[in-house]
Amino acid sequence: MKLTVLLFLSLVVLSHPLLSQIYLAPDGDDNNPGTFLLPFATFPKAISEANPGDTIYVRGGVYDLTNTITITAVKNGTANQFYTLTAYQNEIPILDFSAQPFGLKGISLQANYWHFKGLNIKGAGDNGMDINFGSYNIIEQCKFYENRDSGLQLSHGSSYNQIINCDSYFNADPPDYGDADGFAPKLTVGTDNYFYGCRAWVNCDDGWDGYLRGADSVYTTLENCWTWGNGYLKDGTDPGPQANGNGFKMGGGDNSNGDSLMHHMYLRNCVAFANKNKGFDQNNNLGSMTLFQCTGYSNITANYRIQRALVPGQTLTVKNCVSYYGLVQLGSFAIQETNSWLPPFVVASDDFLSLDTSLASAPRQADGSLPEIDLLHLAEGSDLIDAGVDLGFPFFGAAPDLGAFESNYVAVIGGLTELVEQFQLLQNYPNPFNPETHIIYLLSTPDRVTLSVFDVMGKHIRTLVDGQRQSAGEYSVTWDGTNESGIQVAAGVYLYRLELENGMAEFRKMFLIK
Ligand SMILES: [Ca+2]
Ligand SMILES: [Ca+2]
Ligand SMILES: [Ca+2]
Ligand SMILES: [Ca+2]
């Protein structure tokens, strides 16, 4: 006990240069030491005091800001020591840049290995956040809204950033209203940026925009992302044709000067609906595009339009996708399999549990993941259930379903379906985590269970439950972040997959931070 107290005191005495936790609050003071009880007031002060591995806790409340928060490469973290800038617990910090002059950005992130979490960024005079010259950053559970250009932009070679469970909406650039997208990995963006579980709605230009100018042959991946209602202002008015109104604009450049810009796009389980223009839009992208298990609904010009021939050697692959109430315009070069617009499928409103698009902006779940809603999920009896081709991802029943949402129904003889739910695999907690996390699952009947961890490339990392027979009930398994050899693995996204004896399986993502 005495030793603990002594250690504690010595840490307090030495704390200033060794701070690992820095606090920031709207009623703080930059003359404070930046502790929980005596927090700093400004972002620049907190950032200047932080070292790699430190966490800056941002208390809830409104921060009225006019200057751009700029984080330069002087503050680069490392793969093992991120800088973390996060909302404190469940508090809601609102970085309100509404008083900024037009043209100033909210946050300019020019550094590597930063982890932003839980911040609301609104009203900036330009981008809410621009990651420029910044790579390997994680932007998680942040909201970007009512900014006067794109909510989150990636530029100047920014690469390997992960945008997880973020929302971007009501962004609009007066007076022209021609540029503000929800998420903009565009122009000079770098490669291998990754979006997961993000939503973009009612941005005046596009939901996502991958238009290139100055970059070429870059890769962007989107999984479980939704976008809708783009091309309009928050009040529902249409500011004109310069407000393009595409959901996922996948490229590519004007390609009017003989250039052949390629933005290689991979979209899986993505949804676009009710956009003013196209849902999934080539926009002259001449690179490879892969659309797996996507759903387009009620986009006014077309649900899918990818018609212009690609650079030789590049491919357009569209599999297990759904279109309802909108055009599909794909070039004959498209590699297609089991899409809902191909025979023998017939798509009608009764294929879906719900077409109530107002559900899509529902609040997220406590862990930041997308809300569980019925919109565009398949209904019992749909011929789209178990109708897809196996693309290597877990599914219920005999085959993957078509579209973005794998249902709990499986096809049985005679074109009927029945509900099965033999297990539930829950989101791990804590998540993100370091060093360990817990995975909980439920079995409704006794079964043999295998629970394994993979990296995002599908490489096996660790088996946690190895085919053991378990009775019905609830199980909790802890993963300590090590591989089969007991070695700590690197920070990043991992998948855990639960498989039953009959091959039925489900996986979820988890997020190891260092
Ligand atoms: Ca535009
Ligand atoms: Ca745009
Ligand atoms: Ca049908
Ligand atoms: Ca299925």
Side-chain angles (χ1 to χ4, degrees), residues 112-131:
N112 302 332
Y113 297 109
W114 276 73
H115 183 186
F116 280 70
K117 186 177 177 187
L119 305 182
N120 288 13
I121 298 162
K122 67 170 289 195
D126 193 89
N127 301 141
M129 176 184 272
D130 183 18
I131 306 178

Side-chain angles (χ1 to χ4, degrees), residues 379-392:
E380 181 175 10
S382 169
D383 58 337
L384 309 179
I385 291 171
D386 286 1
V389 61
D390 187 350
L391 298 171

Side-chain angles (χ1 to χ4, degrees), residues 84 215 263 309 316 346 369:
T84 300
H263 197 156
L316 168 63
V346 178
S369 57

